[in-house]
Amino acid sequence: MFAVHVSRLGRVPEPDSTKPVLAVDVDGVISLFGFEGPAENAPCKFQLIDGMAHCIAVETGARLQRLLPHYELIWATGWEDRANEYLLLLLGLPALPVLHFGGAARFGSAHWKLEPIGDYAQGRRLAWIDDSLDASCHEWAAARTEPTLLVQTDAAVGLTDAHVDVLIDWSGGHV
Ligand SMILES: [Mg+2]
């Protein structure tokens, strides 16, 4: 029987294990912070989400869409299910598999993502986009058996075209 994980927005397909996994953070990658200057000049569209204003860089949607043919994208963010609930229409993305962290999520850090990402990507190539990669993340990546690429973003800028170019090259084994 074909099993699916049902989110509030619809069906999330079974993992496509023929592609590498791409773990996608939200804060500092899609939802920006720390930029300079007045809010009206912010490089994003402000969205009220659960009563909090988030600066969503809507152009990251087209960048993530470029990555869809090359990777299985998954959400690796403290937003958990809220990423599918709030971001899909803004970014033009299909519902993605969601990692859960059992209350361990802490803004401004990423070490609590290691075990769930590792479990999901076991036996597969993995790329991970995040603004909060620290030494523990790099040690973990270096210790993985499978090829692993960490992509650090600037939280005030988010995911750029240059990141996407590197990720597409790497997905084909060209980096
Ligand atoms: Mg982040």
Side-chain angles (χ1 to χ4, degrees), residues 111-173:
H111 57 275
W112 41 274
K113 300 180 183 179
L114 296 177
E115 196 175 331
I117 291 176
D119 287 348
Y120 192 92
Q122 192 165 24
R124 298 171 64 185
R125 303 175 73 210
L126 164 73
W128 175 13
I129 317 168
D130 205 296
D131 68 313
S132 297
L133 301 169
D134 62 15
S136 70
C137 301
H138 287 280
E139 284 164 20
W140 173 86
R144 286 192 83 231
T145 309
E146 303 79 19
T148 304
L149 176 70
L150 301 187
V151 178
Q152 171 82 41
T153 60
D154 176 341
V157 176
L159 179 68
T160 65
D161 284 326
H163 294 139
V164 174
D165 291 342
V166 168
L167 283 161
I168 289 176
D169 279 349
W170 189 82
S171 72

Side-chain angles (χ1 to χ4, degrees), residues 25-29 33 76-77 107-109 113 130-132 153:
D25 181 26
V26 172
D27 287 316
V29 175
F33 58 90
T77 166
F107 186 84
S109 63
K113 300 180 183 179
D130 205 296
D131 68 313
S132 297
T153 60

Side-chain angles (χ1 to χ4, degrees), residues 50-140:
D50 283 350
M52 234 180 111
H54 289 268
C55 171
I56 304 297
V58 287
E59 70 276 12
T60 59
R63 294 179 182 136
L64 291 166
Q65 288 166 33
R66 279 181 63 205
L67 293 164
L68 283 172
H70 305 279
Y71 287 93
E72 185 198 4
L73 273 65
I74 65 170
W75 293 121
T77 166
W79 285 48
E80 297 183 334
D81 293 306
R82 293 184 308 142
N84 275 341
E85 289 168 25
Y86 292 109
L87 298 177
L88 302 186
L89 290 177
L90 286 168
L91 301 176
L93 290 176
L96 303 178
V98 177
L99 298 185
H100 297 98
F101 303 101
R106 296 289 177 273
F107 186 84
S109 63
H111 57 275
W112 41 274
K113 300 180 183 179
L114 296 177
E115 196 175 331
I117 291 176
D119 287 348
Y120 192 92
Q122 192 165 24
R124 298 171 64 185
R125 303 175 73 210
L126 164 73
W128 175 13
I129 317 168
D130 205 296
D131 68 313
S132 297
L133 301 169
D134 62 15
S136 70
C137 301
H138 287 280
E139 284 164 20
W140 173 86

